[in-house]
Amino acid sequence: MGFSKVMFFSGSILHETFAETETASETIARYSYLDYLRCVTGKLGTFLGQEPCKYLLYKGTPVLNQGSTRFELHQPGTNQFAGTETAVKSVLGTGTVVGAFARTASVASMQPAYNLPAKVYFVRDNKTGAYDVVKDGDELPPGKTRATYTLRGAQTTDAVGNTSSRIIKDDADRFVGQMLKAKIGFPAFSVCDCNSFHTSGYLWGTYAIRSVMDPGSDDAVAILNFDQHQDLGGGALVASDAWGLPTLASVKNGCYLSIGNAASRRSGEGLGGEYQWSTTVALRKDGATTHSPIKVMTVKTQIAQKAISAMTAEEKVQYYGALLSSLSSKWTRVDPLGSAQDCRLSDLKNATLGMPLAPGCTLTLDALDAGELFTCFFQALVQYLGRPIKYVFVTVDRDVIQNHHTQWGDKSLFPNGFTLVRTISTVHEALLAASPQCTLIGVDITGLPESRKVYGQWTDNIQPVASTWEGAEEQILKLFQWGESCLQSQSSATALFMYRMGIIFDNLTKDLKGRALRPYVSDGVRKEISTFWNPLRASFESSQKGGKGLITVVPVSMPPKLEEIASALRSASRTSGYISKEIKTQLIAYANRIDSLLKLEA
């Protein structure tokens, strides 16, 4: 069925759900996850649809707070939430506690309304290891130790600003581990409430990576962020504006690209505008972050004069990364007979003053093609890393789309959802041109429209509430549809793997119920096989009936489990008691078929 849809309420934002007669302080005092659920029911109903959706919710009060934040996972039978508090809770049903992490507040402008401190320091419980925050200047609570973390390259216990949804990286990693145990689903399509909690990029990015990769794997990952801001960060604090490098550091090889940064209009507006914008590029090779980000002026003065053929692999990827760093562009309609909103990047030019064209480079700096430029970058990256990009994670901060109506200004490149998804598709196709077997492992979008009454940030270009939400839902739907099409196109190899595994285990489980094999395979092994296969049976049966399989990417935990089962079957064939040649051959044959399946997966 493709993605597992997850609505993620971090408790960071107030949406347009309150009565016009309410004041900001009244809204703040009573807003909760119940209002959020009522809001998304009415505003995102088409996206939510009738299919099951999971809700990862902060259910505490008040919202916009700091400190320990506990989350529960719900999967109700419907996505319709309305009526009284009791009615909404009844529909939501009983949830499962996933875990908690300690965080700073999200929005600095809300500190006075909540009487929140301007600065806090992190503490850790001496018994449980759980983190929390304490107001700067207050005494250390009993049983707690001030937490140590890296800040600007040095170990410290200093207080930090109580904003930007900061989390200690170890705490975030522990929570992601709890997410993995909670069976949230994979691959996930997550919608986060607030782009002042784009800390979600780290949570969902590492969730996707840890779902398919073992620690220490050499496989390369591309992390693609479409965002008004760089969101680079680093060190041991993860934040809404500082999660890119920490996510990249969770793998040994790969890249982090933040695309659409700091857009400004040179002329015109909307689809008729000309824009200047940037892409932030960071690289990681063999466990070391080598460029964070690529230094454009170094490339301009020390590398760009070299011939492409004379550049090292590292110099080449820096050169193309530098070309991506500063661009100007317009929008051109894709199909004259299609939607006027569906436009692609055009008139693309490198906007770095004085950037020379490297001798032998086939590009033209004042007439670039987005697909060709990104393809050159990814091809150079593959050469530099010495391996293809195996996985890609995509996240979108809605502040990169015009009229986003979040607290950030409208320095946004993309006029609408069409242009955003068209560009994401262009970048993804360029990645596939360099790494044809690259697999999409997750998509995240964060930053739903915010309450203008509460934030009071908008002084011009204010859109009606209804059209603001219509635009947000259209963007989410288009991104979801693009992701689903990617999963379908990449599922052919996985479909073959699942089909062959289905045939093997469908026959094996049936044989183990019969009188022939059952006496020679222990109760423990039979239970292990059933525990493995029963959750996957529906995927196999669906594919047999012409439907879509439920598994589009082979989870990292699956091959080791298959190896264990094959080994157990071989051990059963070597029993010390009497076993007929026919039974021995049958057990070994199943083990060999599983071995063959593992070679296909590799």
Coordinates of all heavy atoms in Angstrom, one line a residue, residues 218-266:
D218 N 28.5 1.1 5.1 CA 29.2 2.0 4.1 C 28.2 2.6 3.1 O 28.6 3.4 2.3 CB 30.3 1.2 3.4 CG 31.5 0.9 4.3 OD1 31.8 1.7 5.2 OD2 32.1 -0.2 4.1
D219 N 27.0 2.1 3.1 CA 26.0 2.6 2.1 C 25.9 4.1 2.1 O 25.9 4.7 3.2 CB 24.7 1.9 2.2 CG 24.7 0.5 1.9 OD1 25.5 0.0 1.1 OD2 23.8 -0.3 2.5
A220 N 25.7 4.7 1.0 CA 25.6 6.2 0.9 C 24.1 6.6 0.9 O 23.3 6.0 0.2 CB 26.3 6.7 -0.4
V221 N 23.9 7.8 1.5 CA 22.5 8.3 1.6 C 22.5 9.8 1.2 O 23.4 10.5 1.5 CB 22.0 8.2 3.1 CG1 20.6 8.8 3.2 CG2 22.0 6.8 3.5
A222 N 21.5 10.2 0.4 CA 21.3 11.6 0.1 C 20.1 12.1 0.9 O 19.0 11.5 0.9 CB 21.0 11.7 -1.4
I223 N 20.3 13.2 1.6 CA 19.3 13.8 2.4 C 18.9 15.2 1.7 O 19.8 16.1 1.6 CB 19.8 14.1 3.8 CG1 20.2 12.8 4.5 CG2 18.7 14.8 4.6 CD1 21.2 13.0 5.6
L224 N 17.7 15.2 1.1 CA 17.3 16.4 0.3 C 16.3 17.2 1.1 O 15.2 16.7 1.4 CB 16.7 15.9 -1.0 CG 17.6 15.0 -1.9 CD1 16.9 14.6 -3.2 CD2 19.0 15.6 -2.1
N225 N 16.7 18.4 1.4 CA 15.8 19.3 2.2 C 15.4 20.5 1.3 O 16.3 21.2 0.8 CB 16.5 19.8 3.4 CG 15.7 20.8 4.2 OD1 14.5 20.7 4.2 ND2 16.4 21.7 4.9
F226 N 14.1 20.7 1.1 CA 13.6 21.9 0.3 C 13.1 22.9 1.3 O 12.1 22.7 2.0 CB 12.6 21.4 -0.7 CG 13.1 20.5 -1.8 CD1 13.3 19.2 -1.5 CD2 13.5 21.0 -3.0 CE1 13.9 18.4 -2.5 CE2 14.0 20.2 -4.0 CZ 14.2 18.9 -3.7
D227 N 13.9 24.0 1.4 CA 13.7 24.8 2.6 C 14.2 26.3 2.3 O 15.1 26.5 1.5 CB 14.6 24.2 3.7 CG 14.2 24.7 5.1 OD1 14.0 25.9 5.3 OD2 14.2 23.8 6.0
Q228 N 13.5 27.2 3.0 CA 14.0 28.6 2.9 C 15.3 28.8 3.7 O 16.0 29.8 3.4 CB 12.9 29.5 3.6 CG 13.1 31.0 3.4 CD 12.0 31.8 4.1 OE1 12.4 32.6 5.0 NE2 10.8 31.6 3.8
H229 N 15.7 27.9 4.6 CA 16.8 28.1 5.4 C 17.8 26.9 5.2 O 17.4 25.8 4.8 CB 16.4 28.2 6.9 CG 15.4 29.2 7.1 ND1 14.1 29.0 7.2 CD2 15.6 30.6 7.3 CE1 13.5 30.1 7.4 NE2 14.3 31.1 7.5
Q230 N 19.1 27.1 5.6 CA 20.1 26.0 5.5 C 19.8 24.8 6.4 O 20.0 23.7 6.0 CB 21.5 26.6 5.8 CG 21.9 27.6 4.8 CD 23.4 28.0 5.1 OE1 23.9 27.8 6.1 NE2 24.0 28.7 4.1
D231 N 19.4 25.1 7.7 CA 19.2 24.1 8.7 C 20.4 23.2 8.9 O 20.2 22.0 9.2 CB 17.9 23.3 8.3 CG 16.6 24.0 8.5 OD1 16.7 25.2 8.8 OD2 15.6 23.4 8.4
L232 N 21.6 23.7 8.8 CA 22.8 22.8 8.9 C 23.0 22.3 10.3 O 23.0 21.1 10.5 CB 24.0 23.6 8.4 CG 24.4 23.5 6.9 CD1 25.5 24.4 6.6 CD2 24.7 22.1 6.5
G233 N 23.4 23.2 11.2 CA 23.7 22.8 12.5 C 25.0 22.0 12.7 O 25.9 22.2 11.9
G234 N 25.0 21.2 13.7 CA 26.2 20.4 14.0 C 26.3 20.2 15.5 O 25.6 20.8 16.2
G235 N 27.2 19.4 15.9 CA 27.4 19.2 17.4 C 26.4 18.3 17.9 O 25.7 17.5 17.3
A236 N 26.2 18.5 19.2 CA 25.3 17.5 20.0 C 23.9 18.0 20.3 O 23.2 17.5 21.0 CB 26.0 17.1 21.3
L237 N 23.6 19.2 19.7 CA 22.2 19.7 19.8 C 21.5 19.7 18.4 O 22.1 20.2 17.5 CB 22.2 21.2 20.4 CG 22.5 21.3 21.8 CD1 22.4 22.8 22.2 CD2 21.5 20.6 22.7
V238 N 20.4 19.1 18.4 CA 19.6 19.1 17.2 C 18.5 20.1 17.3 O 17.9 20.2 18.4 CB 19.0 17.7 16.9 CG1 18.2 17.6 15.6 CG2 20.1 16.6 16.9
A239 N 18.2 20.9 16.3 CA 17.2 21.9 16.4 C 16.4 22.1 15.1 O 16.8 21.5 14.1 CB 17.8 23.2 16.9
S240 N 15.4 22.9 15.2 CA 14.6 23.2 14.0 C 15.4 23.8 12.8 O 15.1 23.6 11.7 CB 13.4 24.1 14.3 OG 13.9 25.4 14.7
D241 N 16.5 24.5 13.2 CA 17.3 25.2 12.2 C 18.7 24.6 12.2 O 19.7 25.1 11.7 CB 17.4 26.7 12.4 CG 17.8 27.0 13.9 OD1 18.0 26.1 14.7 OD2 18.0 28.2 14.2
A242 N 18.9 23.4 12.9 CA 20.2 22.8 13.0 C 20.1 21.3 13.1 O 20.5 20.7 14.1 CB 20.9 23.4 14.3
W243 N 19.6 20.7 12.0 CA 19.5 19.2 12.1 C 20.1 18.5 10.9 O 20.3 17.3 10.8 CB 18.0 18.8 12.1 CG 17.2 19.3 10.9 CD1 16.5 20.5 10.7 CD2 17.1 18.7 9.6 NE1 16.0 20.7 9.5 CE2 16.3 19.5 8.8 CE3 17.5 17.5 9.1 CZ2 16.0 19.2 7.4 CZ3 17.2 17.2 7.8 CH2 16.5 18.0 7.0
G244 N 20.5 19.3 9.8 CA 21.1 18.7 8.6 C 22.4 17.9 8.8 O 22.5 16.7 8.4
L245 N 23.3 18.6 9.4 CA 24.6 17.9 9.6 C 24.5 16.7 10.6 O 25.1 15.7 10.4 CB 25.7 18.9 10.1 CG 26.2 19.8 9.0 CD1 27.3 20.8 9.5 CD2 26.7 19.1 7.8
P246 N 23.8 16.9 11.7 CA 23.6 15.7 12.6 C 23.0 14.5 11.9 O 23.4 13.4 12.1 CB 22.7 16.2 13.7 CG 23.0 17.7 13.8 CD 23.2 18.1 12.3
T247 N 22.0 14.8 11.0 CA 21.4 13.6 10.2 C 22.4 13.0 9.3 O 22.6 11.8 9.2 CB 20.2 14.1 9.4 OG1 19.3 14.8 10.3 CG2 19.5 12.9 8.8
L248 N 23.2 13.9 8.6 CA 24.3 13.4 7.7 C 25.3 12.6 8.5 O 25.8 11.6 8.0 CB 24.9 14.5 7.0 CG 26.0 14.2 6.0 CD1 25.4 13.3 4.8 CD2 26.6 15.5 5.4
A249 N 25.6 13.0 9.7 CA 26.6 12.3 10.6 C 26.1 10.9 11.0 O 26.9 10.2 11.5 CB 26.9 13.2 11.8
S250 N 24.8 10.6 10.8 CA 24.3 9.3 11.2 C 24.7 8.2 10.2 O 24.5 7.0 10.4 CB 22.8 9.3 11.4 OG 22.2 9.5 10.1
V251 N 25.3 8.6 9.0 CA 25.8 7.7 8.0 C 27.3 7.9 7.8 O 27.8 9.0 8.1 CB 25.0 7.8 6.7 CG1 23.5 7.5 7.0 CG2 25.2 9.2 6.1
K252 N 27.9 7.0 7.1 CA 29.4 7.1 6.8 C 29.6 7.8 5.5 O 30.6 8.5 5.3 CB 30.0 5.7 6.8 CG 30.2 5.1 8.1 CD 30.8 3.7 8.0 CE 32.3 3.8 7.6 NZ 32.9 2.4 7.6
N253 N 28.7 7.7 4.6 CA 28.8 8.3 3.3 C 27.5 8.9 2.8 O 26.4 8.4 3.0 CB 29.3 7.3 2.3 CG 30.6 6.7 2.5 OD1 31.6 7.3 2.3 ND2 30.6 5.5 3.1
G254 N 27.6 10.1 2.2 CA 26.4 10.7 1.6 C 26.5 12.2 1.5 O 27.6 12.8 1.5
C255 N 25.4 12.8 1.3 CA 25.3 14.3 1.1 C 24.0 14.8 1.8 O 23.1 14.1 1.9 CB 25.4 14.7 -0.3 SG 23.9 14.2 -1.3
Y256 N 24.1 16.1 2.1 CA 22.9 16.9 2.6 C 22.8 18.1 1.7 O 23.8 18.9 1.5 CB 23.1 17.3 4.0 CG 22.1 18.3 4.5 CD1 20.8 17.9 4.9 CD2 22.4 19.7 4.6 CE1 19.9 18.8 5.3 CE2 21.5 20.6 5.0 CZ 20.2 20.2 5.3 OH 19.3 21.1 5.8
L257 N 21.7 18.2 1.0 CA 21.4 19.4 0.2 C 20.2 20.1 0.8 O 19.1 19.5 1.0 CB 21.1 19.0 -1.2 CG 22.3 18.8 -2.2 CD1 23.2 17.7 -1.8 CD2 21.8 18.6 -3.6
S258 N 20.3 21.4 1.0 CA 19.1 22.2 1.3 C 18.9 23.2 0.2 O 19.7 24.0 -0.1 CB 19.4 23.0 2.6 OG 18.2 23.7 3.0
I259 N 17.8 23.0 -0.5 CA 17.5 23.6 -1.8 C 16.4 24.7 -1.7 O 15.4 24.4 -1.1 CB 17.1 22.5 -2.8 CG1 18.2 21.5 -3.0 CG2 16.7 23.1 -4.2 CD1 17.8 20.2 -3.7
G260 N 16.7 25.8 -2.3 CA 15.7 26.9 -2.3 C 15.9 27.9 -1.2 O 15.0 28.7 -0.8
N261 N 17.2 28.0 -0.6 CA 17.5 28.8 0.5 C 17.4 30.3 0.1 O 17.9 30.7 -1.0 CB 18.9 28.5 1.0 CG 19.0 27.1 1.5 OD1 20.2 26.7 1.8 ND2 18.0 26.4 1.7
A262 N 16.9 31.1 1.0 CA 17.0 32.6 1.0 C 16.7 33.2 -0.4 O 17.4 34.0 -1.0 CB 18.5 33.0 1.3
A263 N 15.5 32.8 -0.9 CA 15.1 33.3 -2.2 C 14.7 34.7 -2.1 O 14.1 35.2 -1.1 CB 13.9 32.4 -2.7
S264 N 15.0 35.5 -3.2 CA 14.6 36.9 -3.3 C 14.2 37.2 -4.7 O 14.7 36.6 -5.6 CB 15.8 37.8 -2.9 OG 16.9 37.6 -3.8
R265 N 13.2 38.0 -4.8 CA 12.7 38.4 -6.2 C 13.5 39.5 -6.8 O 13.7 40.5 -6.2 CB 11.2 38.8 -6.1 CG 10.3 37.7 -5.8 CD 8.8 38.1 -6.1 NE 8.4 39.2 -5.2 CZ 7.8 39.1 -4.0 NH1 7.7 37.9 -3.5 NH2 7.5 40.1 -3.3
R266 N 14.0 39.2 -8.0 CA 14.7 40.2 -8.7 C 13.7 41.1 -9.5 O 14.0 42.3 -9.6 CB 15.7 39.5 -9.8 CG 16.9 38.9 -9.2 CD 17.8 38.4 -10.3 NE 19.2 38.2 -9.8 CZ 20.2 37.8 -10.6 NH1 20.0 37.6 -11.9 NH2 21.4 37.7 -10.1

